[in-house]
Amino acid sequence: MRNPFFTSLSDFAKGRDDKRFSIEEVTRYFLSRTESLNASLNVCLSTNPNAINRARQLDARLARNGAQSPFYGYPVMVKDNFEMEGFPTTCASKILSGYVSRRTATSVARLLSLGAIVLGKTNLDEFAMGSSTENSAFGPTKNPWNPARVPGGSSGGSAAAVAAGLAPLSLGSDTGGSIRQPAAFCGVLGIKPTYGRISRSGLVAFSSSLDQIGPFALQASDALEALVAMGGRDPLDMTTDDRDPSEMRRDFQTTEIPGLRIGIPAEMFGEGLDSSIRDRLGELRDSLAGSGSREVAVTLPHSRFGINVYYLLATSEASSNLSRFDGVRYGFRVKEPADLRAMYEETRDRGFGDEVKRRILLGTFALSAGYQEAFYRKARKVQALIRGDFLKAFEQCDMILTPTSPSPPFAFGEKTGDPLSMYLSDVYTITANLAGLPALSVPVGLDSQGLPVGAHLIGPPWSEGRLLKVADKISSLYPMPLPEVHAGHPAGFREGGLK
Amino acid sequence: MTESSVSLWGQWEVVVGLEVHTQLLTKSKLFCRCENRFGAPPNTLVCPVCLGHPGTLPVLNGEAVRLGVRAGLAAGCRVSPVSTFERKHYFYPDLPKGYQISQYAQPLLTGGALRIRTEAGERMIRIHRMHLEEDAGKNLHAGIPDRSHVDLNRAGVPLLEIVSEPDIRSPDEAVDYLKRLRQLLRATKVSDGNMEEGSFRCDINLSIRRPGTSVFGTRVEIKNVNSFRFVHKAMVYEIERQIEAVESGEKILQETRLFDPVSGRTKPMRSKEEALDYRYFPEPDLPPLVLSPSLIEEERLSLPELPEQRVERFCAEIGLSRSDAEILVAEESLARYFEEGLERFRSAIADEEGLRKVRERWTSFVLSEVLRELNRRGEEVLSGPTGVTHAVDLLEKVLGGSLSFSQAKEVYSRAAEEKKIPVSLVEELGLVQVSGEGELSALVEAVLAENTEEVAAYRGGKDRLFGFFVGAVMKKSRGKANPEKVNEILRNKLKG
Amino acid sequence: MNLSRSDVLHVARLSALALSEAEVARMTSELSAILNYVEGLATVDISGVAEAGETLAPTPLAPDIPAPSLPTEGALAGAPDRSGAFFQVPRILEEGR
Ligand SMILES: [Mg+2]
Ligand SMILES: [Zn+2]
């Protein structure tokens, strides 16, 4: 359901400045909606008790000084693997029980400094490991389109929050598709920027060389502004690039659809792709051609090894990143361990869920003596080949179009018994992380069962502005309905787009 | 350079490589901006980064990189234009992240060498590599039943690990290598090298083999031996342990051992079944360290005079013997004292000959009196009442002839003891040197009159008796006579 | 490749995870299945390929200016066990690293 106040970030800013509504009014609306729907959707793990206060203060300051940014007073939700000083950060894990963050993630801090209001923190797969939000220690999030289906993951809570109208903007993290796949499943826009565009400081690391932060939104221009606001070099993250994030705004404005070369990799439209999704994508290709863009056949020969490479590299880094959860300085520790070793082993065994343990074991194995060459090192080299494929393809095209997910949102429990089949749901999104490229998922309507379908665009490094311009065009071609969600049981959807 | 003969231990050759971990003199830690300071109350110099909180990322301290480059240049290392950081994994309470960030695949510095001198002669000990890494915190156990305590103030302090090639052949060589390395790090202000505070720590890799063979024996690592004396002791113990074992047909285990200063022995450190696999892999939070050529050049240009160069200069310019120069340079503060004093005399004395005499006196004074007091009382002797200006004033009395050298030495020692300014002490004690012609002549006359037989013998050709007359005059003056003047007068009178 | 029970126990020990008997059995088969899949990489020709990662411009380095640390209470708040200003753990029997 659309909120009754505004349709986009710029519309919000205008309404706010024209006194069509107060910031407090808007904040109260989203908070109360969250309160009434959270029991059935399980989107939020915590809400911000200071939100109303902050809204009041912002209203008061607005009366005196006016607003400097469209984000002034804008409500957002953040995935619960972002740190906010004084707030719990759970990563949907038992091992972080009781943990309170001492600092605020740079991405969140930059939005806060512009006046944004964080409403709450959203559910996720434990430590962002999963594709369905079923691996949360706090129970799964429901897909607002159909409560029997998963919202995707790992940023399922953030995607569902925007789809269900609990917030107009949310933040997620994407290591192998964790923004784009839930965006597709929930029928919203989600973008993962170029590696190095947004600081990872304050994002709890899953796989440091692949993790990137990005927004969920209903409008491409809203996502664009969020990226500009959060982007740019951060002295707290040495992997950030120092290019000016406002270049994205310029690219968004200057990109023209006519003449645009859209790369179509045959590898990603073949076997294993749900026919209903293939059909929607086929229509989209026709519409884009009708708008003057040109299709170019490209090939990404090594992309079929994406899953292999990803599950070696991501788990290797994860096994290392999660070593710090040891029960010594914060979080969970078992009671009365027999000795030091027992403290470590039992704390970690009981503190982590199954999927996390599986990945720690796999990553430890891939890095271990005698196997590192054949697994971790080999994967790094194949990663270089995958990256090379993309760079070659981008000599022929401006961006690449693929499906976001091979299947529509699946049912709860459908893939939990078979880790591999779950991993395969990231098959189209994973390579963008491996190559460090920007990529987004934009809704292209519903499939035959009435579930959202996403189109996936991958661009060369630093092409976010161009990708979003094309996403904006696609949104205008496929006005996306939003689901009608009621307290108690989310069901059905309401026709009618946002435009 | 002379290559000494291979020193042997019975029928065995000892092969040793040393790994030194030295804390860098930065103001903040290696990957966060907590203060790098020793002795603060527990867990007061910690932040989310060095506590290993989730969401934190390492940010490399530029000064640590500079200091590393400087140390490397001083030891003749090759500076890597690109180096990498890796993670080394193990679980231990003093290691907050569960891994140590360390340079592994491509260290900041490779190659280089240090010249050492022992009784066996002069040799070059090659340096294999130097790299940056973070220190761990501290676990404490003393006086705590069933529990251990963890203080993370030291976690993340920058370390330079300096790994030698296995070129060391004896405990003496090991100690000399360590002393010279520490000297170098101090002279370049890379580290304070303070072993008591743990800012200069040493691991020993030791094996034995039959001389003439080129293969190495099984290597044993002895961890954290933290004084020169203990290094020597631990090595002697370990050499003898290994020889005894091998000679009685046992196999040496490749293991890590710990030195126990109380028993003077080394003992195995970990249980054998424990799995250790550090799983090094590139630190994804730190891009490869690419150095700007200007940084390297700046460090090269700002390199101070190195200990070895200083020794050369002391020998060539000041005319010190090599061994005197080595002793002086070994104590950075003493060398500075020496040079400052020399500078003062130089500005007061113009003629070459006078200067040469002063240099001799001053060198001998510093190497005997000042060094002794320094060893006895520590660095504070070098400032305050017995500081260099006051020492120079004292020596000037000797040069001016109003005080004898032996008096001056005695006064300095007492001044250090009583923390008094030496020249004031001279007055207080009423010390004066008798240099007056008349007074000295009278003394000489009296001595000659008392020893007529000896005078006859001397005049008859027994030259050696001259010293006897000098001694007698000095004794009669109760040490106050100016010995040079006494010589002169005696020579004249005895001729007559 | 198929992992053995002892492979899994070894990796679990390196990972500091005390797996139950049931977990060991399940992980042995699940990890084997995943490894059998990812082993598809073996068919890729990587001769002459360097690992991913590029060499860039000089690394921007942080100035050596100390910033305030956490207040001790802030550092220790939330510690599962503490003693005064120290974090507390079961007795460490094996010294040094
Ligand atoms: Mg080391
Ligand atoms: Zn710190």
Side-chain angles (χ1 to χ4, degrees), chain A residues 106-128:
Chain A
T106 300
S107 50
V108 177
R110 286 184 178 175
L111 286 176
L112 289 175
S113 74
L114 297 176
I117 301 174
V118 175
L119 298 175
K121 304 188 76 181
T122 60
N123 200 7
L124 65 153
D125 284 300
E126 185 178 1
F127 286 105

mmCIF file of all heavy atoms in Angstrom, chain A residues 106-128:
data_model
loop_
_atom_site.group_PDB
_atom_site.id
_atom_site.type_symbol
_atom_site.label_atom_id
_atom_site.label_comp_id
_atom_site.label_asym_id
_atom_site.label_seq_id
_atom_site.Cartn_x
_atom_site.Cartn_y
_atom_site.Cartn_z
ATOM 1 N N THR A 106 29.161 4.238 8.793
ATOM 2 C CA THR A 106 29.350 5.467 8.022
ATOM 3 C C THR A 106 28.160 5.736 7.109
ATOM 4 O O THR A 106 27.680 6.868 7.004
ATOM 5 C CB THR A 106 30.637 5.364 7.187
ATOM 6 O OG1 THR A 106 31.736 5.171 8.081
ATOM 7 C CG2 THR A 106 30.867 6.613 6.356
ATOM 8 N N SER A 107 27.653 4.694 6.450
ATOM 9 C CA SER A 107 26.525 4.865 5.531
ATOM 10 C C SER A 107 25.321 5.447 6.268
ATOM 11 O O SER A 107 24.691 6.413 5.805
ATOM 12 C CB SER A 107 26.158 3.506 4.923
ATOM 13 O OG SER A 107 26.026 2.536 5.950
ATOM 14 N N VAL A 108 25.022 4.893 7.431
ATOM 15 C CA VAL A 108 23.883 5.366 8.215
ATOM 16 C C VAL A 108 24.171 6.768 8.754
ATOM 17 O O VAL A 108 23.315 7.656 8.711
ATOM 18 C CB VAL A 108 23.585 4.392 9.380
ATOM 19 C CG1 VAL A 108 22.452 4.912 10.249
ATOM 20 C CG2 VAL A 108 23.248 3.006 8.840
ATOM 21 N N ALA A 109 25.405 6.960 9.224
ATOM 22 C CA ALA A 109 25.762 8.267 9.782
ATOM 23 C C ALA A 109 25.603 9.371 8.728
ATOM 24 O O ALA A 109 25.189 10.489 9.042
ATOM 25 C CB ALA A 109 27.194 8.242 10.311
ATOM 26 N N ARG A 110 25.926 9.053 7.479
ATOM 27 C CA ARG A 110 25.818 10.070 6.433
ATOM 28 C C ARG A 110 24.358 10.425 6.176
ATOM 29 O O ARG A 110 24.024 11.591 5.944
ATOM 30 C CB ARG A 110 26.518 9.601 5.161
ATOM 31 C CG ARG A 110 28.031 9.664 5.330
ATOM 32 C CD ARG A 110 28.809 9.301 4.089
ATOM 33 N NE ARG A 110 30.246 9.446 4.381
ATOM 34 C CZ ARG A 110 31.220 9.127 3.547
ATOM 35 N NH1 ARG A 110 30.916 8.650 2.342
ATOM 36 N NH2 ARG A 110 32.478 9.292 3.889
ATOM 37 N N LEU A 111 23.482 9.417 6.217
ATOM 38 C CA LEU A 111 22.049 9.707 6.064
ATOM 39 C C LEU A 111 21.529 10.489 7.272
ATOM 40 O O LEU A 111 20.768 11.455 7.126
ATOM 41 C CB LEU A 111 21.254 8.402 5.892
ATOM 42 C CG LEU A 111 21.391 7.704 4.541
ATOM 43 C CD1 LEU A 111 20.639 6.381 4.554
ATOM 44 C CD2 LEU A 111 20.879 8.601 3.405
ATOM 45 N N LEU A 112 21.988 10.073 8.460
ATOM 46 C CA LEU A 112 21.540 10.770 9.679
ATOM 47 C C LEU A 112 21.983 12.233 9.661
ATOM 48 O O LEU A 112 21.241 13.120 10.065
ATOM 49 C CB LEU A 112 22.095 10.073 10.930
ATOM 50 C CG LEU A 112 21.493 8.717 11.280
ATOM 51 C CD1 LEU A 112 22.218 8.100 12.474
ATOM 52 C CD2 LEU A 112 19.993 8.838 11.571
ATOM 53 N N SER A 113 23.191 12.455 9.157
ATOM 54 C CA SER A 113 23.689 13.838 9.164
ATOM 55 C C SER A 113 22.883 14.727 8.217
ATOM 56 O O SER A 113 22.860 15.942 8.368
ATOM 57 C CB SER A 113 25.171 13.876 8.811
ATOM 58 O OG SER A 113 25.316 13.639 7.424
ATOM 59 N N LEU A 114 22.194 14.100 7.266
ATOM 60 C CA LEU A 114 21.327 14.873 6.372
ATOM 61 C C LEU A 114 19.923 15.013 6.966
ATOM 62 O O LEU A 114 19.060 15.666 6.378
ATOM 63 C CB LEU A 114 21.229 14.203 4.999
ATOM 64 C CG LEU A 114 22.539 14.099 4.216
ATOM 65 C CD1 LEU A 114 22.323 13.338 2.914
ATOM 66 C CD2 LEU A 114 23.107 15.489 3.920
ATOM 67 N N GLY A 115 19.699 14.365 8.101
ATOM 68 C CA GLY A 115 18.412 14.523 8.778
ATOM 69 C C GLY A 115 17.482 13.328 8.681
ATOM 70 O O GLY A 115 16.336 13.392 9.129
ATOM 71 N N ALA A 116 17.957 12.222 8.095
ATOM 72 C CA ALA A 116 17.086 11.044 7.996
ATOM 73 C C ALA A 116 16.759 10.506 9.388
ATOM 74 O O ALA A 116 17.480 10.765 10.351
ATOM 75 C CB ALA A 116 17.758 9.967 7.163
ATOM 76 N N ILE A 117 15.657 9.772 9.480
ATOM 77 C CA ILE A 117 15.235 9.167 10.747
ATOM 78 C C ILE A 117 15.242 7.654 10.582
ATOM 79 O O ILE A 117 14.586 7.124 9.680
ATOM 80 C CB ILE A 117 13.818 9.621 11.139
ATOM 81 C CG1 ILE A 117 13.775 11.146 11.287
ATOM 82 C CG2 ILE A 117 13.355 8.935 12.427
ATOM 83 C CD1 ILE A 117 12.384 11.696 11.541
ATOM 84 N N VAL A 118 15.998 6.967 11.427
ATOM 85 C CA VAL A 118 15.979 5.501 11.373
ATOM 86 C C VAL A 118 14.796 5.009 12.209
ATOM 87 O O VAL A 118 14.704 5.293 13.399
ATOM 88 C CB VAL A 118 17.300 4.902 11.890
ATOM 89 C CG1 VAL A 118 17.202 3.384 11.950
ATOM 90 C CG2 VAL A 118 18.455 5.313 10.984
ATOM 91 N N LEU A 119 13.912 4.297 11.542
ATOM 92 C CA LEU A 119 12.707 3.812 12.230
ATOM 93 C C LEU A 119 12.974 2.519 12.972
ATOM 94 O O LEU A 119 12.408 2.269 14.034
ATOM 95 C CB LEU A 119 11.597 3.545 11.209
ATOM 96 C CG LEU A 119 11.099 4.731 10.398
ATOM 97 C CD1 LEU A 119 10.096 4.253 9.361
ATOM 98 C CD2 LEU A 119 10.462 5.780 11.311
ATOM 99 N N GLY A 120 13.818 1.690 12.396
ATOM 100 C CA GLY A 120 14.056 0.399 13.033
ATOM 101 C C GLY A 120 15.061 -0.416 12.243
ATOM 102 O O GLY A 120 15.562 0.021 11.200
ATOM 103 N N LYS A 121 15.342 -1.589 12.775
ATOM 104 C CA LYS A 121 16.336 -2.466 12.149
ATOM 105 C C LYS A 121 15.652 -3.756 11.707
ATOM 106 O O LYS A 121 14.848 -4.344 12.437
ATOM 107 C CB LYS A 121 17.484 -2.719 13.121
ATOM 108 C CG LYS A 121 18.094 -1.381 13.581
ATOM 109 C CD LYS A 121 19.350 -1.574 14.384
ATOM 110 C CE LYS A 121 20.504 -1.937 13.464
ATOM 111 N NZ LYS A 121 21.736 -2.160 14.252
ATOM 112 N N THR A 122 16.007 -4.172 10.499
ATOM 113 C CA THR A 122 15.227 -5.223 9.846
ATOM 114 C C THR A 122 15.875 -6.596 9.915
ATOM 115 O O THR A 122 17.091 -6.735 10.050
ATOM 116 C CB THR A 122 14.998 -4.861 8.366
ATOM 117 O OG1 THR A 122 16.272 -4.746 7.729
ATOM 118 C CG2 THR A 122 14.236 -3.545 8.234
ATOM 119 N N ASN A 123 15.010 -7.586 9.761
ATOM 120 C CA ASN A 123 15.397 -8.994 9.850
ATOM 121 C C ASN A 123 16.271 -9.408 8.657
ATOM 122 O O ASN A 123 16.228 -8.795 7.579
ATOM 123 C CB ASN A 123 14.124 -9.849 9.877
ATOM 124 C CG ASN A 123 14.368 -11.236 10.456
ATOM 125 O OD1 ASN A 123 15.451 -11.528 10.963
ATOM 126 N ND2 ASN A 123 13.346 -12.091 10.392
ATOM 127 N N LEU A 124 17.027 -10.456 8.857
ATOM 128 C CA LEU A 124 17.960 -10.938 7.832
ATOM 129 C C LEU A 124 18.300 -12.388 8.115
ATOM 130 O O LEU A 124 18.034 -12.901 9.199
ATOM 131 C CB LEU A 124 19.253 -10.093 7.858
ATOM 132 C CG LEU A 124 20.111 -10.177 9.126
ATOM 133 C CD1 LEU A 124 21.561 -9.888 8.790
ATOM 134 C CD2 LEU A 124 19.638 -9.210 10.211
ATOM 135 N N ASP A 125 18.905 -13.034 7.129
ATOM 136 C CA ASP A 125 19.514 -14.332 7.402
ATOM 137 C C ASP A 125 20.692 -14.085 8.331
ATOM 138 O O ASP A 125 21.427 -13.100 8.169
ATOM 139 C CB ASP A 125 20.021 -14.971 6.099
ATOM 140 C CG ASP A 125 18.895 -15.548 5.254
ATOM 141 O OD1 ASP A 125 18.191 -16.434 5.756
ATOM 142 O OD2 ASP A 125 18.725 -15.102 4.106
ATOM 143 N N GLU A 126 20.888 -14.969 9.284
ATOM 144 C CA GLU A 126 21.954 -14.789 10.273
ATOM 145 C C GLU A 126 23.277 -14.420 9.579
ATOM 146 O O GLU A 126 23.738 -15.129 8.676
ATOM 147 C CB GLU A 126 22.127 -16.089 11.070
ATOM 148 C CG GLU A 126 23.132 -15.943 12.202
ATOM 149 C CD GLU A 126 23.283 -17.211 13.022
ATOM 150 O OE1 GLU A 126 22.626 -18.226 12.716
ATOM 151 O OE2 GLU A 126 24.084 -17.187 13.979
ATOM 152 N N PHE A 127 23.855 -13.292 10.002
ATOM 153 C CA PHE A 127 25.102 -12.786 9.435
ATOM 154 C C PHE A 127 25.028 -12.655 7.910
ATOM 155 O O PHE A 127 26.026 -12.786 7.212
ATOM 156 C CB PHE A 127 26.305 -13.626 9.848
ATOM 157 C CG PHE A 127 26.701 -13.383 11.280
ATOM 158 C CD1 PHE A 127 26.416 -14.306 12.257
ATOM 159 C CD2 PHE A 127 27.314 -12.191 11.659
ATOM 160 C CE1 PHE A 127 26.748 -14.077 13.590
ATOM 161 C CE2 PHE A 127 27.650 -11.950 12.977
ATOM 162 C CZ PHE A 127 27.372 -12.892 13.952
ATOM 163 N N ALA A 128 23.814 -12.431 7.410
ATOM 164 C CA ALA A 128 23.587 -12.218 5.969
ATOM 165 C C ALA A 128 23.868 -13.462 5.137
ATOM 166 O O ALA A 128 24.117 -13.377 3.936
ATOM 167 C CB ALA A 128 24.402 -11.018 5.458
#
